[in-house]
Amino acid sequence: MSLQALKQGTSTLELNLSISSPPDLLNAVNSLWQVAIQVPSMPPSAVKNESELKGIRDFFEAALKCYIKCADFTGIEQCFEILTNLYQDYSEILKDSEDQWKIWGLYLTYLLSYNKIEEFHSELESVPWNLYTDNKYIQFAVTLEQFFMEGNYQEVLSAKNHSPSSEFDFFINRISDTIRFEIASSFEKAYEKLSVEGACQLLKLNDYSELAAFLQAYAERSGKDIWRIENNELLIKSNEKKTHEIPKWQLINQALNYAIELERIV
């Protein structure tokens, strides 16, 4: 009964993906998730029924698309964890799904969007070599990583114009935030205070509201809440003592170089 309900729910979910609102999609996914965990073969169960595993995989592939549309990071991470497990540990039972390598490409791009370069290379080892060039989704992620590591940010951001699927755009947008975080991590060590206008110029943000939103996102992502805005100035509390002027100016120069690259792609 649970498997049949899961299959029917997954079909409905896929049909409604393009027309339902994010809250409705999340409610549907969360309800089906509860159905999925009742299926006997749901990992890490010792039961390995092919039909059940296929139904579970199909649901989480659909759920991932919903979470991307809803920008639900927790859901995205959980789906990736379950799906990569199914793809790797159950490959002798399950044939490749139609979306499997697309999702592998999305997963690799997701890792890049969080600057998880070591994990990217570790997970890439699970992908057959021929797919690096023969599969458009894997090739896209591999090429994107090369541009990212070269610091060729213009090519990284222009990649959105020819991404193999619209789902990739979500992660490419996050990469633009990663570039800004790289800039911020440089100038936070070089400045004790900075005008709001100057900070916006360095980060290529339009106004105070965008800067405030960025500071909040940076604090959440880096775990460092070191800024406050006061009297139109960005005050930076650094834990590192700036005892040498040369490193300071090197960091400022690095921040400016990042800003120049960002200017080319905005």
Side-chain angles (χ1 to χ4, degrees), residues 62-244:
L64 175 64
K65 297 174 187 177
C66 293
Y67 283 130
I68 290 175
K69 180 178 179 179
C70 299
D72 187 311
F73 298 111
T74 300
I76 289 170
E77 291 174 350
Q78 290 174 338
C79 282
F80 276 138
E81 181 179 356
I82 292 170
L83 287 169
T84 53
N85 178 41
L86 286 167
Y87 295 152
Q88 291 177 308
D89 297 346
Y90 297 83
S91 58
E92 295 182 359
I93 303 173
L94 292 170
K95 296 179 181 179
D96 290 356
S97 72
E98 183 179 344
D99 284 339
Q100 177 165 327
W101 296 112
K102 174 183 178 179
I103 289 174
W104 264 112
L106 284 168
Y107 179 52
L108 293 170
T109 308
Y110 151 79
L111 292 175
L112 287 178
S113 74
Y114 278 88
N115 207 19
K116 297 181 178 182
I117 305 302
E118 291 185 8
E119 290 184 45
F120 174 93
H121 288 287
S122 176
E123 296 294 346
L124 190 60
E125 293 177 2
S126 302
V127 178
W129 280 91
N130 65 297
L131 296 185
Y132 290 19
T133 54
D134 294 347
N135 182 276
K136 63 181 180 180
Y137 304 114
I138 303 300
Q139 183 185 39
F140 180 82
V142 170
T143 302
L144 195 65
E145 188 270 343
Q146 291 173 347
F147 289 145
F148 192 76
M149 295 306 294
E150 291 169 0
N152 193 341
Y153 299 135
Q154 184 173 3
E155 290 292 341
V156 171
L157 270 294
S158 67
K160 183 176 179 180
N161 298 327
H162 50 82
S163 64
S165 172
S166 60
E167 288 97 345
F168 282 79
D169 296 348
F170 174 78
F171 300 107
I172 294 174
N173 289 336
R174 277 196 55 82
I175 290 175
S176 66
D177 288 337
T178 297
I179 294 171
R180 288 188 172 93
F181 292 153
E182 290 290 339
I183 296 173
S185 67
S186 295
F187 76 67
E188 74 175 47
K189 300 172 185 176
Y191 297 96
E192 292 181 352
K193 64 180 180 179
L194 189 63
S195 70
V196 167
E197 181 181 359
C200 287
Q201 184 176 3
L202 278 172
L203 294 167
K204 302 306 170 190
L205 298 171
N206 292 321
D207 51 34
Y208 173 92
S209 61
E210 288 190 6
L211 177 61
F214 170 79
L215 295 182
Q216 181 177 356
Y218 183 83
E220 293 173 355
R221 183 164 168 179
S222 67
K224 297 185 293 184
D225 187 11
I226 61 174
W227 284 309
R228 74 177 189 276
I229 298 176
E230 185 177 301
N231 297 325
N232 206 37
E233 285 188 329
L234 180 63
L235 303 181
I236 303 175
K237 299 179 180 179
S238 177
N239 294 325
E240 298 181 21
K241 295 181 178 179
K242 304 178 181 66
T243 56
H244 302 289

